[in-house]
Amino acid sequence: MSGQFDFCSHGKKVLNTELQALEKIRDYIDNSFTLACELILHCQGKVIVMGMGKSGHIGRKIAATLASTGTPAFFVHPGEASHGDLGMIKKSDVVIAISNSGEAVEILALLPVIKRLGIAMISMTGKPESSMAKMAQVNLQVTVDKEACPLNLAPTSSTTATLVMGDAVAISVMEARGFTADDFALSHPGGALGRKLLLRIADVMHSGELLPVIEEHASIKDALLEISHKGLGMTAIVDHNQQLRGIFTDGDLRRLLDNHIDIHNTRIGEVMSSNPRTISPQLLAAEGLKLMEDNKINGLLVTEDNQLVGALNMHDLLKAGVL
C-alpha cells in the first residue's frame, strides 16, 4: 500500500493549504492586534494563556514564547482552573483565551468570574461572532477557510494560524519592550544557546601561568619553546611593562623556516606580527568566535588598555560549546 501511495504529493498539499491560511491571517493584523499587544505590554501582572485540546497545546507554546521574550506568562488548563487553579489568576493579569470555535465550554464557564474580577481578556478565535469573542476586550481573529485535514475536521490549518498569531504578538511586544540579547540570555542559561549568550571571553581565556608570553628581546627559539609549552599555537610578545607589542604563531614559524632564519640569534621582536587582533575580556565568547572567523585566524589575545591579560584559540571555544 505505502509503495503506491504518493506521500510527497499529499504532504505538499497539506503545506500549501496551511500556507494559504497564513496568507489570510496577515489580513487580521489590524487595530485589534495593536490593542492586544498594548494590553500585554502594559500588563502589571502575568499573561495567563488558556485553551482546551489542540488549542491548549498551542496555548502552552504561546505562553512559553511570551515568557522567553520578556513577558511573564504561563498556561492554565481551563478544566483545572474551575477546580481551584483560577486562584492563580490575579486582577493585574491579562488572560489570552484560545478556541477556534469560540465556544469552548470549559473556558466559557470561567468567563463570568474573570469578568467579575475585572481581569482583561484577549480571545483568539476563528469566529468573531462567538461568545468568547464578544466577551473579550479584544478578539484576535484566526479564521481559516479550511483545515489541511481532508475531512476538514482535525485542527491543522487553524492551529498553525493561531500559533503564528501568537508568535506575532509575542515578538511585537518583545520589540516594543526593547528586549535585548542579554535579556534573552538570562531566560536561556542552559544548553548551547545559553553558552553563546552568557559565556564571556574572561570565562574561557588562558591567563596567569597558562598565558603564552615572552618579551620582545627574546629569541625565536625562546618563542618556540613558549608556544610548545603552553599549547595555544601562538605566543604574545610584550615589552618590560607588559604592554602588548605583537604576536608570533605557528604560521609565522613556517614562513620563517622557508626563509632560513637563524632561530637561535634572531630576536622575536624583529619577526613578530605587530598590531595583532585583540579582544576585551568582557565581550561575549561568541563575539570572539566571529572575530576569528571574519579574520580567518585561530587565536586571539585578550587585553585591557593594551595590557595583556589572556589568550584563547578556536579549540577553547569548541571545548566551551560556543562553536
Side-chain angles (χ1 to χ4, degrees):
M1 177 65 180
S2 62
Q4 299 173 352
F5 190 84
D6 189 349
F7 286 105
C8 291
S9 175
H10 285 266
K12 289 176 182 178
K13 184 178 178 182
V14 169
L15 293 183
N16 287 334
T17 301
E18 299 208 13
L19 286 170
Q20 289 169 12
L22 294 184
E23 285 290 337
K24 186 172 182 178
I25 290 300
R26 184 159 45 192
D27 296 335
Y28 301 139
I29 302 291
D30 52 18
N31 188 56
S32 293
F33 181 85
T34 299
L35 293 174
C37 289
E38 288 178 345
L39 271 177
I40 294 170
L41 179 63
H42 300 299
C43 176
Q44 297 300 305
K46 292 181 171 59
V47 174
I48 314 301
V49 185
M50 293 183 174
M52 286 297 297
K54 302 297 188 296
S55 293
H57 297 309
I58 297 300
R60 290 180 190 277
K61 197 296 185 166
I62 292 174
T65 300
L66 285 165
S68 70
T69 53
T71 299
F74 61 91
F75 179 83
V76 171
H77 191 286
E80 298 295 338
S82 63
H83 292 278
D85 281 3
L86 197 59
M88 297 178 180
I89 306 175
K90 304 301 180 185
K91 189 174 183 179
S92 57
D93 296 335
V94 169
V95 168
I96 298 178
I98 304 172
S99 169
N100 188 43
S101 68
E103 303 294 345
V105 294
E106 295 86 353
I107 296 178
L108 291 177
L110 302 173
L111 296 191
V113 179
I114 291 172
K115 300 291 283 186
R116 192 187 325 155
L117 292 174
I119 298 169
M121 189 182 97
I122 300 164
S123 63
M124 294 180 69
T125 73
K127 294 185 174 9
E129 71 284 358
S130 64
S131 302
M132 274 176 50
K134 290 177 179 177
M135 292 186 71
Q137 274 90 334
V138 183
N139 179 60
L140 293 176
Q141 189 172 346
V142 287
T143 307
V144 299
D145 290 332
K146 61 180 179 178
E147 300 289 3
C149 165
L151 303 176
N152 200 34
L153 294 174
T156 45
S157 301
S158 59
T159 49
T160 299
T162 305
L163 179 62
V164 171
M165 182 64 82
D167 285 343
V169 169
I171 300 306
S172 297
V173 173
M174 168 186 164
E175 292 190 275
R177 287 189 196 284
F179 195 74
T180 67
D182 284 343
D183 297 323
F184 194 85
L186 294 176
S187 60
H188 296 77
L193 182 59
R195 287 191 291 275
K196 286 185 179 181
L197 294 174
L198 288 173
L199 208 61
R200 301 195 179 273
I201 293 294
D203 299 321
V204 296
M205 71 183 190
H206 299 257
S207 59
E209 294 297 321
L210 300 177
L211 177 60
V213 57
I214 58 171
E215 294 192 1
E216 55 189 330
H217 58 72
S219 69
I220 296 175
K221 179 183 177 182
D222 294 329
L224 299 183
L225 291 173
E226 184 72 356
I227 292 173
S228 176
H229 181 58
K230 300 298 173 61
L232 290 184
M234 63 180 176
T235 185
I237 294 94
V238 298
D239 62 19
H240 63 282
N241 291 319
Q242 296 300 300
Q243 294 288 300
L244 181 63
R245 303 292 295 167
I247 190 172
F248 188 77
T249 69
D250 287 340
D252 295 325
L253 171 61
R254 287 191 292 273
R255 287 184 286 273
L256 286 183
L257 293 177
D258 288 340
N259 294 325
H260 306 291
I261 297 291
D262 183 356
I263 66 172
H264 296 280
N265 298 311
T266 305
R267 293 190 307 113
I268 194 66
E270 299 174 30
V271 296
M272 68 184 183
S273 298
S274 301
N275 302 314
R277 297 288 176 181
T278 63
I279 192 167
S280 165
Q282 300 309 314
L283 291 181
L284 293 173
E287 294 178 85
L289 173 61
K290 186 177 187 306
L291 186 58
M292 289 189 209
E293 290 177 335
D294 288 348
N295 291 278
K296 296 180 172 59
I297 55 179
N298 292 317
L300 282 174
L301 298 178
V302 187
T303 59
E304 287 184 311
D305 299 324
N306 203 44
Q307 190 85 21
L308 182 70
V309 296
L312 72 155
N313 62 15
M314 197 70 79
H315 179 72
D316 296 316
L317 298 178
L318 178 63
K319 188 166 61 174
V322 178
L323 183 58

